[in-house]
Amino acid sequence: MELAQNSQKESSLLTELGASTTSGSCGTIYTLTIIGQIEGHQVLPETVKTTKYEHVLPLLASIEESQEIDGLLLLLNTVGGDIEAGLAIAELISGMKKPTVSLVLGGGHSIGVPLAVSAKKSMIAPSAGMTIHPVRISGTVVGAPATFQYFNRIQERIVEFVTANSRISREQFLQYMMATGELASDVGTVIYGREAVSCGLIDRLGSLGDALEVLHRQIARARKSRREADA
């Protein structure tokens, strides 16, 4: 009966959140996917595949507090989305004490960049891409100096977070962000797996097996530290 309930719960997590929990000799890992567009304060159409931040935030808090979960694997394939929602998720992941590994598959574009670097170890598939561009806001914009200053301050939050949580320099990141001639109708740059690693934005190349191996090592070190602290 208990097995059936656990199976039903796991199926529900996969359907609603794109998440699952797996247990093995190396520990229990919670896998969370960030896919499609990150939904913020406004509800997007049902035809748009989204990650809802109001679901992810309490989930991350419960993962951090859970005594049954040893680590978090974050799988990213996102086009970006709401800036504040994405930064909120990234800040929570960055502040977790549990082992965390992120893996960019397909794309980690726009606000997906801070999410990708928020884990203790970030990885990217060789074919995956990441779009770095200035802050863009849709809808009516008041053409005033205060508006320009507001955009700048939002952008600075992103730049500070990314450079604090990766090895890329501020100058290099801004150069990617402000590049012209790379995107057809926008300012910015698309970088792919190897370049993302060589510039210091992402820690290393790899795929699922590599990400799990790194996470297992983090879990083993965390367990060793706990044993030494208890001794």
Side-chain angles (χ1 to χ4, degrees), residues 49-194:
K49 192 173 289 293
T50 64
T51 296
K52 299 179 184 295
Y53 84 107
E54 70 270 24
H55 292 172
V56 177
L57 296 184
L59 181 61
L60 290 171
S62 66
I63 292 170
E64 178 74 350
E65 276 293 286
S66 174
Q67 295 182 357
E68 299 174 357
I69 296 172
D70 297 299
L72 171 69
L73 175 63
L74 188 69
L75 302 180
L76 286 160
N77 186 12
T78 176
V79 295
D82 186 279
I83 293 171
E84 291 194 343
L87 275 178
I89 296 171
E91 287 283 8
L92 270 191
I93 296 169
S94 173
M96 293 177 73
K97 293 182 178 179
K98 283 194 174 173
T100 55
V101 172
S102 65
L103 175 60
V104 181
L105 298 160
H109 304 295
S110 192
I111 201 63
V113 175
L115 285 163
V117 304
S118 63
K120 289 179 175 60
K121 196 75 171 182
S122 60
M123 302 181 68
I124 187 170
S127 62
M130 304 181 78
T131 304
I132 303 168
H133 61 72
V135 170
R136 297 177 299 191
I137 296 181
S138 59
T140 303
V141 176
V142 178
T147 304
F148 178 74
Q149 178 66 13
Y150 174 66
F151 281 12
N152 261 349
R153 292 179 69 182
I154 293 175
Q155 194 161 285
E156 185 59 27
R157 289 160 63 191
I158 295 170
V159 173
E160 284 188 4
F161 183 89
V162 171
T163 53
N165 287 276
S166 70
R167 294 176 292 105
I168 193 169
S169 68
R170 176 185 176 85
E171 292 74 21
Q172 177 70 80
F173 191 68
L174 286 172
Q175 185 178 332
Y176 281 138
M177 185 178 278
M178 301 301 180
T180 58
E182 174 77 20
L183 303 178
S185 59
D186 199 0
V187 176
T189 309
V190 181
I191 61 175
Y192 298 95
R194 296 187 187 281

Side-chain angles (χ1 to χ4, degrees), residues 28-46:
T28 299
I29 294 171
Y30 195 99
T31 302
L32 177 64
T33 57
I34 303 293
I35 58 171
Q37 193 161 337
I38 298 163
E39 188 177 88
H41 304 301
Q42 294 183 335
V43 177
L44 295 173
E46 291 184 1

